[in-house]
């Protein structure tokens, strides 16, 4: 059973499109996160939700909008995709500490 | 400022050699530190956390508050240890993780 899952695994799209990435966790955790791993493998937090409430919002362009319909799901919607959005996006969840990561979504913007 | 520094981008060793991946942190509060490992094209997996003081896959890490370090060590590297290793600092009440830039460990036969 996969603890933290993401869909899709790969996403190739054109500049200017809008796309969504979904994340689900079955660990019963209260907190979920989105991280971006760039081409140099650097990992940076983007957002965090606790019980469906936004608690961390790093300096991310407002083209990125997270949505948490319930505490087991955290989706990431990206408007007007740009070349620089190409990266691997990781979802994570935790109940306190530590955090458990999903398999990642590899986004390529052409 | 909250920061995690991993000075080596790449560490290349031969099988059986000792390994030390360096991690230094900057944090004004009481730190909680982790090592995560990412094998090729896989998810990040928790390797160690300093409060556990355990050895996983032969790796150990000791928090040195005086030197603000949390170096990862293994006495005899194996080829299957080849991966990307991230040191991370839990900062603040919202469980925010600050990652270092990562060190790629390459273990050669």
């Amino acid at each position: 059973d996969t603890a933290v899952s993401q869909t899709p695994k790969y996403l190739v799209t054109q500049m200017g499109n809008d796309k969504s990435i979904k994340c689900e966790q079955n660990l019963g955790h209260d907190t979920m996160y989105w991280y971006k791993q760039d081409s140099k493998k650097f990992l940076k937090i983007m957002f965090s939700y606790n019980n469906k409430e936004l608690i961390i919002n790093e300096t991310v362009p407002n083209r990125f909008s997270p949505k948490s319909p319930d505490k087991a799901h955290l989706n990431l919607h990206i408007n007007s995709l740009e070349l620089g959005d190409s990266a691997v996006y990781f979802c994570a969840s935790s109940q306190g500490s530590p955090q458990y990561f999903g398999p990642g979504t590899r986004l390529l913007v052409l | 400022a909250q920061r995690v520094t991993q000075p080596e981008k790449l560490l290349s060793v031969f099988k059986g050699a000792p390994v030390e991946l360096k991690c230094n942190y900057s944090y004004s509060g009481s730190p909680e530190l982790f090592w995560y490992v990412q094998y090729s094209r896989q998810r990040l997996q928790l390797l160690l956390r300093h409060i556990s003081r355990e050895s996983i896959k032969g790796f150990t890490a000791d928090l040195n508050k005086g030197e603000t370090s949390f170096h990862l060590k293994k006495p005899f590297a194996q080829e299957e240890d080849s991966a990307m290793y991230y040191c991370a600092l839990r900062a603040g009440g919202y469980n925010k993780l600050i990652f270092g830039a990562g060190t790629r460990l390459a273990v050669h036969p």
Side-chain angles (χ1 to χ4, degrees):
Chain A
D1 289 332
T2 305
V4 183
S5 59
Q6 294 178 228
T7 53
K9 196 170 179 180
Y10 298 98
L11 188 51
V12 181
T13 188
Q14 301 284 335
M15 264 174 49
N17 284 350
D18 303 338
K19 290 292 177 187
S20 290
I21 308 171
K22 297 188 176 188
C23 178
E24 177 180 359
Q25 54 96 3
N26 63 7
L27 296 166
H29 290 166
D30 285 339
T31 311
M32 295 183 73
Y33 313 80
W34 277 111
Y35 287 84
K36 180 180 179 181
Q37 185 179 45
D38 63 24
S39 57
K40 295 183 179 177
K41 303 292 187 186
F42 188 65
L43 263 167
K44 194 168 189 310
I45 189 164
M46 300 171 70
F47 302 103
S48 177
Y49 271 73
N50 182 266
N51 274 320
K52 303 193 295 175
E53 284 193 39
L54 182 66
I55 57 170
I56 296 174
N57 186 354
E58 294 292 292
T59 44
V60 177
N62 57 15
R63 298 183 293 104
F64 289 78
S65 51
K67 283 193 173 50
S68 183
D70 56 62
K71 74 173 194 178
H73 296 85
L74 180 61
N75 303 324
L76 183 65
H77 188 77
I78 316 170
N79 289 325
S80 303
L81 278 155
E82 299 178 357
L83 294 176
D85 298 332
S86 296
V88 182
Y89 292 85
F90 285 99
C91 176
S93 75
S94 74
Q95 188 70 20
S97 184
Q99 294 180 23
Y100 295 89
F101 284 78
T105 295
R106 192 171 291 270
L107 171 65
L108 178 59
V109 182
L110 301 174
Chain B
Q2 304 158 351
R3 189 167 54 242
V4 176
T5 303
Q6 291 180 251
E8 302 137 331
K9 276 191 175 178
L10 172 67
L11 188 60
S12 191
V13 301
F14 287 103
K15 178 182 169 182
V19 166
E20 183 179 47
L21 288 85
K22 292 186 166 45
C23 172
N24 288 89
Y25 66 91
S26 172
Y27 185 56
S28 56
S30 185
E32 186 176 354
L33 286 145
F34 306 84
W35 277 100
Y36 280 85
V37 59
Q38 187 180 26
Y39 299 102
S40 181
R41 293 192 168 242
Q42 293 187 26
R43 72 181 73 203
L44 273 86
Q45 302 171 37
L46 178 67
L47 183 62
L48 287 174
R49 52 193 302 197
H50 89 268
I51 60 173
S52 302
R53 299 186 65 81
E54 57 195 342
S55 174
I56 304 290
K57 299 184 180 184
F59 285 97
T60 58
D62 290 315
L63 177 61
N64 185 323
K65 290 187 178 180
E67 295 182 0
T68 60
S69 69
F70 188 55
H71 302 327
L72 183 68
K73 299 177 186 179
K74 184 168 182 177
F76 308 104
Q78 303 299 315
E79 288 178 68
E80 55 265 29
D81 296 328
S82 295
M84 194 77 174
Y85 289 81
Y86 290 95
C87 183
L89 166 71
R90 181 184 176 188
Y94 290 133
N95 205 24
K96 177 176 166 180
L97 275 184
I98 296 170
F99 283 89
T103 297
R104 179 169 299 284
L105 175 63
V107 182
H108 304 285

